[in-house]
């Protein structure tokens, strides 16, 4: 099967934390040598596209530019830009989310009132941030989450992810957020719009059935699951909906 474009997950697919995946590097080199368009689509809202590109370029020897990266922070900013009358955004997050929101011209505020609350992973979270976000949502602000990943793999273990903070805020306001990142469709539709491709022209490549593959399934996009990260063959075999394609290594995929 030939695809015009590839949406590609990062951690567990192209590399594992600081560990290089030679097959991931070769896969990108083959894509670059072909006429295929590719975009790294990541739920990580803490880094700017330039930082993601720099990590790929310097640490994994995969030359990448910022315009080849689409983060959940960027998708969140794109989504908020479609909502009427949203100018003041109360943000709980880091530089990636801040940069994306500022690029869209939003006024960032740290206390209520606000037109919207955008929450992602924030490793400097504190009670007062949750207080202000709670008050803003109670007063009618839109409640938008970059992603609800429960954990973040790290050399220290499975650390709390953005979903942990989102759950705390959801408990306080007793309301579900609009979720932007994988496996939801907002980030996928944003990636399609950014590339100018249609759902039938692309394939979503990833290692995690519950985020990457479900994102493709939900958006009507073909999927390629690589068994180098989170999901195992035993787990995936139990799923009602199967990936379009499965490989043990990206070396096994023909472009």
């Amino acid at each position: 099967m030939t695809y015009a474009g590839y949406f590609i997950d990062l951690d567990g697919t192209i590399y594992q934390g600081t560990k290089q995946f030679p097959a991931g590097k070769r896969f990108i080199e083959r894509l670059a040598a072909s006429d295929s368009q590719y975009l790294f689509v990541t739920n990580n809202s803490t880094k700017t596209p330039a930082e993601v590109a720099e990590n790929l370029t310097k640490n994994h020897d995969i030359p990448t530019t910022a315009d080849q990266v689409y983060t959940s922070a960027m998708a969140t900013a794109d989504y908020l830009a479609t909502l009427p009358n949203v100018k003041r955004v109360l943000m709980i997050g880091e530089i990636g989310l801040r940069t994306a929101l500022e690029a869209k011209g939003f006024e960032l505020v740290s206390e209520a009132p606000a037109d919207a609350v955008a929450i992602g992973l924030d490793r400097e979270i504190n009670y007062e941030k949750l207080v202000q976000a709670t008050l803003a949502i109670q007063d009618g602000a839109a409640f938008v989450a970059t992603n609800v990943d429960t954990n973040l793999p790290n050399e220290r273990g499975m650390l709390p992810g953005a979903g942990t903070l989102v759950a705390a805020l959801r408990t306080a306001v007793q309301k579900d957020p609009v979720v932007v990142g994988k496996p939801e469709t907002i980030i996928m539709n944003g990636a399609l719009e950014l590339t100018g491709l249609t759902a039938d022209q692309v394939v979503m490549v990833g290692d995690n059935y519950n985020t990457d593959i479900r994102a493709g399934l939900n958006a009507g996009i073909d999927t390629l699951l690589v068994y180098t990260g989170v999901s195992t063959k035993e787990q995936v075999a139990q799923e009602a909906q199967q990936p379009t394609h499965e490989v043990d290594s990206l070396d096994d995929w023909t472009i």
Side-chain angles (χ1 to χ4, degrees):
M1 182 78 185
T2 302
Y3 295 97
Y6 287 73
F7 294 162
I8 308 165
D9 175 60
L10 288 170
D11 206 344
T13 302
I14 299 301
Y15 56 73
Q16 187 92 60
T18 57
K19 179 185 173 188
Q20 295 183 352
F21 277 178
K25 174 177 160 59
R26 288 190 291 266
F27 175 67
I28 300 303
E29 286 173 343
R30 288 190 290 132
L31 283 177
S34 73
D35 290 329
S36 305
Q37 196 173 347
Y38 64 92
L39 184 70
F40 294 110
V41 179
T42 174
N43 271 3
N44 188 335
S45 69
T46 65
K47 289 183 168 55
T48 65
E51 287 173 331
V52 175
E54 183 180 32
N55 177 48
L56 281 160
T57 303
K58 289 190 173 179
N59 298 329
H60 299 282
D61 198 24
I62 299 171
T64 306
T65 56
D67 61 2
Q68 293 174 307
V69 178
Y70 193 59
T71 70
S72 65
M74 298 165 69
T76 297
D78 287 342
Y79 171 73
L80 286 172
T82 69
L83 301 183
N85 305 316
V86 173
K87 296 181 177 65
R88 288 167 55 91
V89 178
L90 194 155
M91 183 200 87
I92 295 177
E94 298 186 12
I95 185 67
L97 185 54
R98 175 176 295 278
T99 303
L101 292 169
E102 287 177 342
K104 285 289 180 180
F106 292 110
E107 177 190 351
L108 300 188
V109 298
S110 57
E111 56 187 33
D115 304 313
V117 170
I119 180 170
L121 181 62
D122 184 341
R123 285 167 287 200
E124 294 184 358
I125 187 68
N126 58 44
Y127 185 73
E128 187 59 23
K129 288 183 181 181
L130 289 173
V131 166
Q132 293 300 330
T134 298
L135 293 174
I137 294 166
Q138 287 173 342
D139 199 35
F143 179 16
V144 182
T146 60
N147 67 90
V148 288
D149 294 6
T150 55
N151 295 89
L152 200 64
N154 178 280
E155 58 273 3
R156 295 164 65 191
M158 295 296 282
L159 306 187
T164 306
L165 309 188
V166 174
L169 187 53
R170 189 206 168 283
T171 301
V173 300
Q174 291 296 293
K175 180 181 178 181
D176 290 328
V178 172
V179 180
V180 171
K182 299 176 289 186
E184 305 304 327
T185 56
I186 293 174
I187 192 170
M188 303 304 285
N189 291 335
L192 289 171
E193 192 166 331
L194 185 64
T195 57
L197 297 170
T198 55
D200 61 341
Q201 292 179 299
V202 299
V203 60
M204 178 67 217
V205 185
D207 68 295
N208 188 330
Y209 181 92
N210 286 321
T211 54
D212 307 318
I213 303 307
R214 285 195 193 279
L217 292 170
N218 290 337
I221 291 171
D222 281 1
T223 53
L224 169 58
L225 177 59
V226 57
Y227 289 108
T228 50
V230 172
S231 296
T232 67
K233 291 182 180 179
E234 293 72 27
Q235 291 166 341
V236 174
Q238 306 301 313
E239 298 291 346
Q241 288 184 288
Q242 291 293 297
T244 316
H245 314 282
E246 300 168 73
V247 290
D248 292 325
S249 163
L250 288 173
D251 282 337
D252 300 333
W253 179 254
T254 302
I255 295 168

